[in-house]
Amino acid sequence: MEPIKFKALLKQTIWGGDKIIPFKHLNEKLDNVGESWEISGVKGNETIVSNGRYEGRSLNALVKELKGDLVGIENYKRFGDEFPLLIKFIDARSDLSIQVHPTDEIARRQGKERGKTEMWYIMNSDKGAKLYSGLKKQITPEQYKAMVEDDTICDALAQYEVKEGDVFFLPAGRIHAIGTGCFLAEIQQTSDVTYRIYDYKRKDKDGNYRQLHTKEAAECINYKVEKDYRTEYLPAKNQGVSLVHCPYFTTSVYDLNEPMTIDYSELDSFVILIGMKGEGRITDSEGNETTLNEGETLLLPATTRSVKVEGSIKFLETYV
């Protein structure tokens, strides 16, 4: 089965910027594009295949038809007809709200399907761009609610100035927010459950404050304070470097300037390759050839035994 590409869903937002369209080399004229949903099985926001024999089909239709051949036998048993990961590029011209996501257990208790664990890989962001990740001091749920009320909640959050290549793992329960100037790739569980904690008292075009989910969020927050919320790793050329390994996804980064063959013969999962920089050519174990360039995202079916990557290309690899 050949590698699959999808037509991205471009999302215009009030906080969106101008980095995504040129990064993806698209011939589009849209302002304030905040997100590009690269691979999505979220109902109502399913990405559509743009190449090959399945062109025009939705991702979820493919999962339903191909089952374990597409996602892996164990993944199909675990997730059924829903694709388990959502891949995005995000460009923030202004601060996003401070948020938290529930665990699967809490989400089900609150009447939702599942929670959300995610990660960020920082791309070429503006100089001085910052984000929030985690608590920097111990607070109680009661203090949290009071700090939201008196506009001091940001004083309790760990803030980071970011640069290209930085990685942040965001397990469900960790407070976080993307700041002005951040440009990043996001890998997450297929879930659209977000609880808005604080929105800087901003008003919409009609003069109303955006809805907050203070009570729901209080139940979700992990109040444990960590020393550092940035993921430390040692960059290396021409090999896979592990970034995140969790029950929902495993992600590595490759920075190649010479040919490399990646073996997937022992892996019972689809693999997603996300182009960060440069240009590459992919040849799979069946002889299918395609490109993997900056701004492109590629889905390798679980039947793929290996791929040969040629060119000068940096990309993320993620699977379940």
Side-chain angles (χ1 to χ4, degrees):
M1 196 186 311
E2 64 189 344
I4 302 168
K5 292 184 178 181
F6 295 86
K7 183 175 172 58
L9 298 174
L10 301 179
K11 305 280 189 176
Q12 292 176 282
T13 64
I14 195 168
W15 45 263
D18 57 8
K19 295 183 178 73
I20 287 176
I21 287 177
F23 173 70
K24 289 183 61 61
H25 306 279
L26 298 176
N27 186 24
E28 300 268 3
K29 292 185 179 178
L30 292 174
D31 295 323
N32 306 113
V33 176
E35 298 183 345
S36 174
W37 290 29
E38 295 290 295
I39 295 182
S40 168
V42 175
K43 289 170 186 172
N45 286 279
E46 298 174 37
T47 47
I48 305 299
V49 177
S50 64
N51 71 311
R53 63 181 293 193
Y54 298 110
E55 185 175 355
R57 305 281 293 281
S58 73
L59 175 57
N60 284 2
L62 279 194
V63 177
K64 193 170 184 178
E65 177 183 343
L66 302 174
K67 300 179 171 57
D69 284 347
L70 182 68
V71 299
I73 295 169
E74 290 303 315
N75 282 337
Y76 191 74
K77 289 179 184 176
R78 181 179 172 191
F79 300 105
D81 290 335
E82 185 166 58
F83 193 78
L85 293 185
L86 172 58
I87 310 297
K88 299 179 182 178
F89 295 126
I90 299 177
D91 174 22
R93 190 192 295 271
S94 59
D95 293 335
L96 275 67
S97 59
I98 294 168
Q99 308 172 352
V100 72
H101 308 301
T103 62
D104 289 346
E105 181 184 359
I106 292 173
R108 284 191 287 267
R109 197 160 67 231
Q110 295 179 342
K112 312 289 186 182
E113 218 171 336
R114 69 181 57 80
K116 189 197 293 187
T117 286
E118 60 190 12
M119 67 166 285
W120 293 332
Y121 181 93
I122 308 300
M123 299 191 294
N124 188 19
S125 300
D126 294 349
K127 186 176 181 181
K130 298 176 182 178
L131 56 77
Y132 289 112
S133 179
L135 293 168
K136 69 179 180 183
K137 66 179 183 180
Q138 197 70 56
I139 59 173
T140 65
E142 292 71 27
Q143 288 172 318
Y144 147 75
K145 291 175 184 175
M147 294 178 86
V148 170
E149 285 296 319
D150 66 15
D151 304 319
T152 60
I153 187 62
C154 293
D155 296 342
L157 305 182
Q159 188 177 51
Y160 294 85
E161 187 168 319
V162 298
K163 66 183 185 306
E164 187 174 355
D166 282 352
V167 173
F168 292 85
F169 177 54
L170 303 164
R174 182 167 293 172
I175 297 180
H176 59 275
I178 298 171
T180 300
C182 287
F183 185 34
L184 56 88
E186 181 176 87
I187 298 167
Q188 61 165 87
Q189 283 178 268
T190 292
S191 171
D192 224 11
V193 181
T194 294
Y195 293 136
R196 193 177 298 118
I197 290 172
Y198 186 68
D199 197 41
Y200 311 99
K201 290 288 174 71
R202 294 182 291 201
K203 294 182 179 180
D204 63 21
K205 58 182 175 57
D206 300 318
N208 301 313
Y209 292 120
R210 296 174 77 193
Q211 181 185 4
L212 301 180
H213 309 98
T214 310
K215 181 182 176 185
E216 297 93 334
E219 188 182 353
C220 300
I221 294 169
N222 182 343
Y223 292 93
K224 183 181 179 183
V225 177
E226 305 283 356
K227 283 185 179 179
D228 189 8
Y229 296 95
R230 196 184 337 234
T231 297
E232 295 295 332
Y233 69 99
L234 189 63
K237 298 288 284 188
N238 300 309
Q239 67 183 70
V241 177
S242 178
L243 302 178
V244 171
H245 179 75
C246 74
Y248 305 103
F249 50 82
T250 294
T251 303
S252 300
V253 62
Y254 290 77
D255 187 3
L256 307 183
N257 59 11
E258 59 185 45
M260 180 178 185
T261 297
I262 307 173
D263 183 7
Y264 296 124
S265 59
E266 299 299 316
L267 182 66
D268 178 31
S269 176
F270 64 90
V271 177
I272 296 171
L273 305 181
I274 308 165
M276 295 287 104
K277 188 176 285 189
E279 299 179 344
R281 176 157 291 280
I282 305 289
T283 306
D284 71 8
S285 47
E286 298 175 17
N288 298 302
E289 293 187 5
T290 189
T291 58
L292 178 65
N293 299 330
E294 173 185 279
E296 288 189 324
T297 304
L298 191 65
L299 174 62
L300 304 177
T303 53
T304 304
R305 310 325 294 155
S306 67
V307 293
K308 183 178 182 181
V309 186
E310 298 171 280
S312 181
I313 176 79
K314 178 186 276 191
F315 61 92
L316 300 180
E317 169 203 74
T318 192
Y319 56 84
V320 176

